[in-house]
Amino acid sequence: MALTAENVNSIAYLARLGIDEKDVEAYAKDLSGILDLVEQMGSVETEGVLPMAHPTDQPQRLREDEVTEHDQRDYFQKLAPQVEAGLYLVPKVIE
Amino acid sequence: MHTKTIAELARGLQNREYSSVELTQHFLGRIKQAESVNAFVTVTEEQAMAVAKKADEQIAKGQAGPLTGIPIGQKDIFCTQDVKTSCGSKMLDNFISPYSATVVEKINQAGAVMLGKLNMDEFAMGSSNETSFYGAVKNPWDTTAVPGGSSGGSAAAVAARLVAGATGTDTGGSIRQPAAFCGITGLKPTYGRVSRYGMIAFASSLDQAGPMTQTVEDAAIMLQAMAGFDPKDSTSVDQPVPDYLDGLEKDIKGLKIGLIKEFFADGLDEGCAKTVQAALDEYRKMGAEIKEISLPNLKLSIPVYYVIAPAECSANLSRYDGVRFGYRCEDPKDLNDMYIRSRGEAFGAEVKRRILIGTYALSAGYYDAYYIKAQKVRRLISEDFKKAFSDVDVIMGPVTPTTAFGIGEKTSDPIEMYLSDMYTIAVNLAGLPAISIPAGFSDNKPVGLQIIGNYFAESQLLNVAHQYQKVTDWHQQLPEQFA
């Protein structure tokens, strides 16, 4: 499977991941190589095999619906690049 | 003091041969001298001295445990409250964690003295520690070689005796491969044995934390402190933790060892093969039976891994968006520009490759062909192991196809780098425990022996590995430059 530069640009956009224009070709080559490696999976028949999402087959645990976390907004927001009045600020979205 | 194991240091502390403060100062001095190894991202000197003082008080009161006052290092993937937690990335270079990982809390509670945060491949994606934002780590045995990765800082710090023990994490070999390259002991426990809470996620169905130490006995001591059920991690397994020191001395006569035929085929360096065979001879001498087994689907481990791990990585790393914490680009012109440039400027090339592959594998039209297919083959690999364990007690083989390669040798070809994990990845896919122990040298560089156990058979693994260390002294060797 060979990916083109155009493919790389559209995957990168899906992931909201900036890639330098000068590096796109190199990524296309590397990713195509990885996909070739991955293609080897096709050599084994998997009809009827149950996909394995997880190493342990345990069900999701449930817990009592009780408050276990207390409000630490101010503490956590100290880490943020930009906050105001308890809100996280991002560039303007709505005109 | 630095050549002593955790168990020996604890006895020295008990007998007042030295204090934890003295021990901590000694190791901090060594860290300064060995700065060129680049094992640490952050050294927490002040905090360490304060903890050491407290440890000495506890020892004086007769309240010391096996880790009280012992200098250790934490891989920089574990969140440490009020201490920078970078995960080897520019993305988190400014991240001071607001809370501590369960592993960190447990080790702190056990009284260990954290000397700092250890260097690693960016977001644990790498096999050589060369993808770190903070630069490559050097292998103490040969400073032109890599220490392995992603827990390369941890392995190098233990090998150079800069810490008595360290934590690591293993998603596809990231504890075992650097342990082998640096001539130390590294244990990857069963998936779910150690809490992942506060351990920065790479591939959530594969990641598992474990100890990296000089000896198996020390690994048992550290695992004892790390293991256990944690309600904060939904994949943590609610099973009692046995006393890992208890079973170490058991006789292994009659132990059935499986030898994976496929691991001794093409690609295994001759020197490594010979060293592993010599280790197997030691086990024969101890009365173990060795039989060849075949796990035919193991050859697909790398292809499966490079779908599942990137898929999970692309989902996990979507949280780094420049909004709530971490890196944000300068002067974003709109919201999309902020996401794209923050992520583009702060992630390195290997992380980007994996996000791209994962995004592609999970995208509409490709999901079944890649992701579901990989999960199906993953089950076949895991069933191969199940079959094998109905016949043998443990499985042995090499950890790596070669000894530590040179810094820069494999950076231009990502696939060649991926293949260096060919013997370790299957264990993560199945979720099994495995240990890497020093088994000798090839071309003056350490070679590891890998022992794989059945689910939750950590006690048995430690027992089997410890018996080897009782009749060999590879684990006591240390690089001359750091003696």
Side-chain angles (χ1 to χ4, degrees):
Chain A
M1 180 82 198
L3 291 182
T4 63
E6 200 185 330
N7 293 142
V8 171
N9 280 324
S10 64
I11 302 164
Y13 182 73
L14 283 176
R16 299 295 185 275
L17 186 62
I19 303 276
D20 269 350
E21 200 46 53
K22 64 170 174 40
D23 297 331
V24 172
E25 283 297 339
Y27 277 104
K29 184 178 151 278
D30 287 345
L31 300 187
S32 300
I34 296 169
L35 290 175
D36 282 342
L37 178 80
V38 161
E39 300 284 305
Q40 290 172 20
M41 293 191 308
S43 68
V44 62
E45 179 55 63
T46 51
E47 183 75 31
V49 177
L50 195 68
M52 179 176 166
H54 216 270
T56 49
D57 285 325
Q58 54 172 359
Q60 192 67 44
R61 252 193 337 269
L62 299 175
R63 63 167 177 86
E64 293 301 314
D65 185 19
E66 283 166 356
V67 177
T68 55
E69 294 292 323
H70 58 282
D71 180 17
Q72 299 187 74
R73 185 175 67 182
D74 293 343
Y75 180 50
F76 291 153
Q77 286 196 329
K78 275 194 209 147
L79 291 166
Q82 223 185 339
V83 286
E84 198 181 294
L87 303 170
Y88 291 99
L89 294 192
V90 296
K92 200 154 84 178
V93 187
I94 305 162
E95 287 301 322
Chain B
M1 286 186 271
H2 54 271
T3 57
K4 291 190 162 62
T5 66
I6 292 176
E8 289 165 348
L9 288 174
R11 280 195 289 275
L13 287 168
Q14 289 289 351
N15 299 336
R16 312 291 195 277
E17 287 164 33
Y18 34 76
S19 67
S20 176
V21 165
E22 285 165 340
L23 204 56
T24 301
Q25 274 167 338
H26 177 70
F27 276 101
L28 286 169
R30 287 184 63 80
I31 291 170
K32 267 203 196 100
Q33 276 173 3
E35 251 170 23
S36 64
V37 175
N38 202 24
F40 282 82
V41 173
T42 307
V43 179
T44 50
E45 191 168 344
E46 261 175 56
Q47 292 102 314
M49 291 308 292
V51 174
K53 273 195 197 99
K54 264 194 213 149
D56 282 331
E57 287 165 21
Q58 273 192 303
I59 294 164
K61 279 191 264 176
Q63 293 168 345
L67 281 177
T68 306
I70 305 290
I72 59 107
Q74 292 280 3
K75 185 177 181 180
D76 210 14
I77 198 167
F78 293 100
C79 286
T80 41
Q81 188 165 22
D82 301 329
V83 174
K84 176 166 119 172
T85 300
S86 74
C87 217
S89 182
K90 181 179 177 184
M91 181 57 88
L92 294 177
D93 183 49
N94 63 1
F95 180 64
I96 310 291
S97 178
Y99 70 105
S100 286
T102 297
V103 160
V104 171
E105 278 193 348
K106 287 180 95 128
I107 290 177
N108 288 348
Q109 264 164 22
V113 179
M114 181 181 90
L115 302 186
K117 304 295 293 288
L118 295 159
N119 205 343
M120 55 181 283
D121 277 301
E122 184 178 12
F123 284 102
M125 298 172 203
S127 310
S128 67
N129 224 299
E130 292 165 292
T131 73
S132 169
F133 175 60
Y134 304 94
V137 173
K138 293 182 177 133
N139 189 320
W141 290 95
D142 172 358
T143 50
T144 66
V146 303
S150 66
S151 312
S154 302
V158 173
R161 307 298 192 257
L162 310 182
V163 292
T167 55
T169 61
D170 191 316
T171 304
S174 286
I175 287 175
R176 290 160 288 153
Q177 185 252 25
F181 279 6
C182 291
I184 64 158
T185 300
L187 172 69
K188 177 233 174 267
T190 308
Y191 183 84
R193 179 74 291 183
V194 175
S195 169
R196 294 187 297 111
Y197 179 76
M199 184 177 115
I200 296 174
F202 156 21
S204 306
S205 80
L206 301 164
D207 298 342
Q208 183 61 201
M212 301 177 77
T213 52
Q214 290 177 41
T215 64
V216 172
E217 184 186 20
D218 286 359
I221 292 169
M222 278 193 77
L223 181 64
Q224 199 74 52
M226 295 167 77
F229 174 64
D230 180 12
K232 289 175 180 162
D233 170 7
S234 67
T235 60
S236 162
V237 174
D238 197 356
Q239 271 205 25
V241 179
D243 185 331
Y244 292 118
L245 285 172
D246 226 20
L248 288 184
E249 300 299 339
K250 253 192 242 163
D251 191 0
I252 58 164
K253 207 167 166 197
L255 180 84
K256 281 190 203 148
I257 300 173
L259 212 58
I260 304 181
K261 194 173 77 183
E262 289 81 3
F263 277 9
F264 291 88
D266 290 352
L268 178 60
D269 164 82
E270 212 186 297
C272 289
K274 269 190 197 154
T275 309
V276 171
Q277 290 295 355
L280 293 166
D281 285 340
E282 286 296 335
Y283 276 101
R284 281 193 190 94
K285 278 191 226 158
M286 288 187 272
E289 290 168 37
I290 297 181
K291 68 178 279 187
E292 202 172 73
I293 54 172
S294 171
L295 285 81
N297 293 300
L298 241 59
K299 60 179 187 297
L300 296 173
S301 301
I302 290 183
V304 168
Y305 181 87
Y306 280 98
V307 174
I308 291 176
E312 294 183 10
C313 130
S314 72
N316 273 324
L317 269 60
S318 65
R319 75 192 62 178
Y320 305 106
D321 57 5
V323 177
R324 290 153 304 154
F325 60 94
Y327 179 84
R328 180 186 285 196
C329 66
E330 297 277 337
D331 304 319
K333 63 179 195 294
D334 57 31
L335 191 60
N336 241 342
D337 182 54
M338 186 189 84
Y339 293 149
I340 290 170
R341 280 206 290 125
S342 297
R343 290 162 64 77
E345 289 168 18
F347 287 140
E350 183 56 27
V351 170
K352 284 183 182 172
R353 272 192 285 271
R354 303 217 191 172
I355 290 176
L356 291 171
I357 280 289
T359 304
Y360 180 71
L362 291 176
S363 64
Y366 298 100
Y367 184 82
D368 284 353
Y370 289 109
Y371 192 57
I372 298 294
K373 177 77 183 180
Q375 287 191 326
K376 287 180 171 184
V377 184
R378 181 179 186 178
R379 186 170 299 279
L380 297 179
I381 291 167
S382 151
E383 279 168 1
D384 274 2
F385 277 113
K386 272 188 194 140
K387 262 180 237 148
F389 280 119
S390 65
D391 209 19
V392 298
D393 300 314
V394 294
I395 294 171
M396 289 192 192
V399 185
T400 55
T402 63
T403 55
F405 44 87
I407 293 173
E409 198 181 314
K410 295 191 181 189
T411 40
S412 60
D413 184 355
I415 289 169
E416 205 188 321
M417 185 73 87
Y418 296 171
L419 294 177
S420 69
D421 292 330
M422 61 199 278
Y423 304 133
T424 48
I425 276 177
V427 160
N428 299 78
L429 293 171
L432 294 164
I435 193 167
S436 169
I437 53 172
F441 293 83
S442 174
D443 288 335
N444 299 317
K445 281 187 271 190
V447 176
L449 170 72
Q450 180 170 218
I451 314 172
I452 305 168
N454 211 336
Y455 294 100
F456 297 101
E458 284 81 2
S459 283
Q460 187 184 34
L461 274 187
L462 291 163
N463 167 227
V464 171
H466 177 68
Q467 292 303 311
Y468 178 79
Q469 293 194 337
K470 277 176 72 179
V471 296
T472 56
D473 66 355
W474 304 117
H475 58 289
Q476 287 165 350
Q477 319 266 331
L478 79 164
E480 221 168 89
Q481 202 184 327
F482 299 94

